Amino acid sequence: MPLEAREVSFRYGRGEWVLRRASLSVCAGEVVGLRGESGSGKTTFARVIAGYLRPQEGEVYLDGAPLPRHCYNPVQLMHQHPEKAVNPRWRMRDTLAEAWDVDDATLDALGVDASWLGRWPNELSGGELQRICLARALSPRTRYLIADEITTMLDAVTQAQIWKAILVRVRESGLGVLAVSHDRSLLERVADRVVDVEEIAAAR
Amino acid sequence: MDGEKESLMERVVMVEEDVMLPGMNAASEEAARSEEDLFPDVRETLLEVKDLAISFVQYSKGLRQRTVSPIVDLNLIVDVGEVVAVVGESGSGKSLLAHSILGILPSNARVTGEINYDGRALTPERVKELRGREITFVPQSVQFLNPLMRVGAQIPAKGKDKRERKKKVRSVFERYRLPAGTEKKFPYQLSGGMARRVLVASATVGGARLIVADEPTPGLDEAAIREALGHLRELADEGRAVMLISHDLEQALGISDRVAVFYAGTTLEEARADDFNGDGCDLRHPYTRALWKALPSNGFLAIPGNQPTPDNLPPGCLFSPRCQMATEECFSVKPHKRDLRGGWVRCHHAA
Ligand code: SF4
């Protein structure tokens, strides 16, 4: 059962169109790589397909029905700066608890050290924080992960660790992933297929 | 003004010393010369960081006191004409090192070890004198620019009058292909690539000798990244020294001469850029090798475990909890820095 963006168009206010009739689908258990330079509209597309931005035209479908808007979103979005995605006044434990009752198996799989849970966001490094965000996103109800440049600011070892953990979830529980990045060699490593952001828009 | 004269003098003295060391006779002079033919680039060290350690005492609730040591054992040398990359993951001490070189550490920092610039200790007074002139900073974020000020006015160019100042700004902008009229723009009106060029222009307008660049490429597209890095290389090639802080090893290797690998506040290895090749046999430290082999284009191998946090450092080798080569000694005895194959390493078992 796929996650599908059908001919979505988006612009901010009355500005120029950032996306014009863009279509892409991701299946359960599939990793699709979306490549593009900065400013190419790939981040906007990621937000639209995750349901964070409502397209002015077109629609995003999950299992053939429009994305649910008022209950838990099974499509979770992660981005480049984890420090902007957590409440600075909450300890990590509370940040996780708000989302779901994160189990030890998930924490282990993501290499989250138990000692991090009692810390504040500013006491953790970017890589540590990003793993906390990943644990938060991967609740059992999450079926798709939209990963927008999530390892761009991280070193190679941490990047490989995070992607290995995601790929295990893909294989074992059929998580579908849209991996958005400027980095072609990364996408070739993690994705079953790679498309360029220019290719997904309908021909003018 | 005085500071500039003084360091100019020092430069002259250093050059003289290079030419004729005391006790040199004709034969050794000749030997030195032929050695120079073999090693044409004689090192002229501009920045030397020696066994630097920085700690903070933190008071948490109930006045419990604890010490965190984000920097434990940093060593780094940057020579004239070189780009030296500082790589490592976030939290390894890269940015804190930049802050200490620029003299902008918080006042409660406890610092031991040495930072020498141009052969002399870089004291707080001296760094105040040099910062923004001989020692400049290319920041990570364009947010460093004042958003309410036109960019031309933010370039620290000096001139005897307004016209001369303007001319200087124009000429450095021209060098970085910033079109006429850029001076009058506000930061938000610049593209990412142009803003980067403004930052480089700003760091080089006053004749800087040491340029510290902190992650100078995030958010840029490939062409702009190539350009930004190319500018740093150029600056080194014209006789300045560049310290490039980066989490992106692959990018850094493209323009550096040497690479210092940081981990949990310690320099684990200093390697030559071309030691990073093949399956990493020329590298000295197991962590450096892990970093190399984790690149998507090399193997995408992920070693387990995490970098230790600064309030909970392991007693022996910092990498021992994750190292496959670790022996008993590694868990209790800190490895000292030792020279190895044209670089150096902190590892008991590196060969
Ligand atoms: S000192 Fe021991 S534990 Fe540390 S890197 Fe070397 S072999 Fe590994």
Side-chain angles (χ1 to χ4, degrees):
Chain A
M1 284 290 139
L3 171 68
E4 248 187 306
R6 281 192 215 152
E7 306 226 319
V8 292
S9 301
F10 185 87
R11 60 176 170 182
Y12 293 92
R14 307 200 143 217
E16 274 181 45
W17 290 101
V18 188
L19 292 173
R20 205 71 184 112
R21 284 192 281 151
S23 301
L24 182 72
S25 75
V26 185
C27 292
E30 184 189 30
V31 182
V32 177
L34 180 62
R35 209 207 73 85
E37 298 292 352
S38 60
S40 61
K42 63 187 196 313
T43 288
T44 304
F45 183 77
R47 292 189 181 158
V48 168
I49 199 170
Y52 280 73
L53 289 177
R54 196 146 205 179
Q56 284 91 353
E57 295 170 17
E59 185 68 83
V60 179
Y61 296 89
L62 179 66
D63 308 339
L67 266 190
R69 302 252 166 209
H70 301 292
C71 49
Y72 185 84
N73 188 352
V75 184
Q76 289 285 305
L77 175 69
M78 283 179 65
H79 49 85
Q80 191 173 345
H81 297 287
E83 64 282 1
K84 292 182 191 161
V86 295
N87 188 330
R89 276 178 287 216
W90 285 2
R91 291 183 195 265
M92 298 332 319
R93 184 176 294 116
D94 302 323
T95 288
L96 288 177
E98 191 215 18
W100 64 290
D101 188 10
V102 185
D103 57 336
D104 291 347
T106 303
L107 295 179
D108 271 1
L110 300 180
V112 173
D113 195 293
S115 71
W116 303 350
L117 299 180
R119 292 177 190 260
W120 308 100
N122 66 359
E123 295 176 321
L124 291 178
S125 73
E128 290 157 359
L129 219 44
Q130 192 64 300
R131 267 178 279 189
I132 297 269
C133 288
L134 184 57
R136 176 176 65 175
L138 291 184
S139 108
R141 289 191 288 168
T142 298
R143 295 173 45 208
Y144 289 91
L145 180 69
I146 312 301
D148 183 13
E149 302 274 13
I150 60 168
T151 54
T152 302
M153 297 305 289
L154 305 179
D155 65 288
V157 170
T158 310
Q159 166 171 273
Q161 282 179 331
I162 286 180
W163 277 106
K164 290 275 146 85
I166 293 174
L167 294 178
V168 168
R169 276 295 276 256
V170 170
R171 244 181 288 119
E172 290 179 356
S173 5
L175 180 75
V177 178
L178 180 66
V180 182
S181 177
H182 68 286
D183 185 345
R184 202 179 296 274
S185 46
L186 172 67
L187 292 180
E188 273 160 14
R189 276 282 171 195
V190 302
D192 302 309
R193 61 189 171 100
V194 179
V195 291
D196 210 279
V197 68
E198 266 106 53
E199 294 166 20
I200 64 169
R204 304 265 155 95
Chain B
M1 222 34 225
D2 261 335
E4 201 162 290
K5 237 183 258 159
E6 191 182 279
S7 53
L8 247 170
M9 285 294 292
E10 277 174 18
R11 246 177 289 172
V12 173
V13 172
M14 275 193 61
V15 170
E16 278 174 1
E17 275 175 2
D18 270 355
V19 173
M20 197 51 156
L21 288 166
M24 244 191 187
N25 57 30
S28 67
E29 213 186 307
E30 202 160 294
R33 211 175 299 135
S34 62
E35 203 172 343
E36 214 175 281
D37 291 341
L38 283 174
F39 305 99
D41 27 27
V42 171
R43 296 179 74 157
E44 186 193 327
T45 295
L46 194 59
L47 177 74
E48 181 189 31
V49 177
K50 218 169 156 185
D51 304 330
L52 185 72
I54 299 177
S55 60
F56 296 91
V57 175
Q58 288 185 339
Y59 296 93
S60 46
K61 278 187 201 123
L63 289 178
R64 258 192 313 150
Q65 184 182 321
R66 59 174 194 160
T67 305
V68 290
S69 310
I71 288 190
V72 185
D73 255 326
L74 286 191
N75 292 72
L76 181 77
I77 283 182
V78 187
D79 293 342
V80 168
E82 271 194 324
V83 178
V84 175
V86 170
V87 302
E89 65 181 273
S90 57
S92 63
K94 295 174 301 192
S95 294
L96 208 50
L97 170 64
H99 294 171
S100 33
I101 293 168
L102 296 162
I104 50 175
L105 285 178
S107 58
N108 64 333
R110 279 199 258 171
V111 182
T112 62
E114 296 173 30
I115 300 182
N116 298 315
Y117 174 78
D118 211 355
R120 277 198 301 140
L122 192 56
T123 56
E125 300 75 47
R126 210 170 155 225
V127 78
K128 220 182 251 165
E129 182 77 32
L130 297 173
R131 187 177 56 216
R133 300 165 63 188
E134 278 201 32
I135 302 177
T136 59
F137 183 53
V138 181
Q140 190 174 133
S141 165
V142 182
Q143 286 163 11
F144 229 74
L145 293 170
N146 182 339
L148 302 176
M149 226 169 127
R150 296 181 198 279
V151 297
Q154 303 192 46
I155 303 299
K158 297 228 162 61
K160 62 178 187 302
D161 54 26
K162 237 178 147 181
R163 259 189 56 201
E164 193 185 296
R165 198 189 163 275
K166 267 194 177 155
K167 246 173 89 185
K168 273 194 185 161
V169 173
R170 181 80 306 252
S171 89
V172 71
F173 274 19
E174 241 149 53
R175 169 169 183 185
Y176 292 110
R177 294 192 299 107
L178 289 159
T182 308
E183 289 92 330
K184 292 245 172 315
K185 294 206 159 137
F186 289 99
Y188 76 90
Q189 296 172 304
L190 304 177
S191 72
M194 272 171 83
R196 289 313 316 176
R197 286 187 236 153
V198 168
L199 293 175
V200 175
S202 172
T204 54
V205 67
R209 295 176 67 205
L210 173 67
I211 293 148
V212 178
D214 188 6
E215 303 279 8
T217 59
L220 296 184
D221 58 46
E222 266 165 55
I225 289 175
R226 251 195 316 269
E227 181 187 282
L229 294 175
H231 287 151
L232 295 177
R233 182 67 250 174
E234 246 172 63
L235 292 170
D237 290 342
E238 58 191 45
R240 310 174 204 242
V242 178
M243 175 178 134
L244 167 64
I245 296 175
S246 179
H247 72 280
D248 190 326
L249 174 62
E250 214 162 18
Q251 245 178 41
L253 286 175
I255 60 155
S256 346
D257 301 285
R258 286 179 302 117
V259 179
V261 181
F262 283 21
Y263 186 78
T266 292
T267 317
L268 295 184
E269 169 168 2
E270 184 203 283
R272 290 176 309 230
D274 53 17
D275 292 335
F276 291 82
N277 66 66
D279 55 5
C281 287
D282 291 343
L283 298 168
R284 297 155 192 82
H285 199 283
Y287 175 69
T288 317
R289 240 173 273 139
L291 210 49
W292 174 241
K293 288 191 191 164
L295 290 176
S297 46
N298 282 350
F300 208 46
L301 298 175
I303 54 162
N306 293 304
Q307 174 179 255
T309 48
D311 58 348
N312 195 16
L313 297 174
C317 167
L318 293 174
F319 192 57
S320 57
R322 306 171 75 181
C323 184
Q324 294 207 319
M325 283 166 54
T327 58
E328 216 161 295
E329 182 188 18
C330 302
F331 292 104
S332 52
V333 186
K334 244 184 175 180
H336 289 299
K337 168 177 177 285
R338 66 187 162 95
D339 293 339
L340 189 66
R341 291 185 273 114
W344 56 259
V345 66
R346 280 193 172 94
C347 168
H348 293 304
H349 303 302

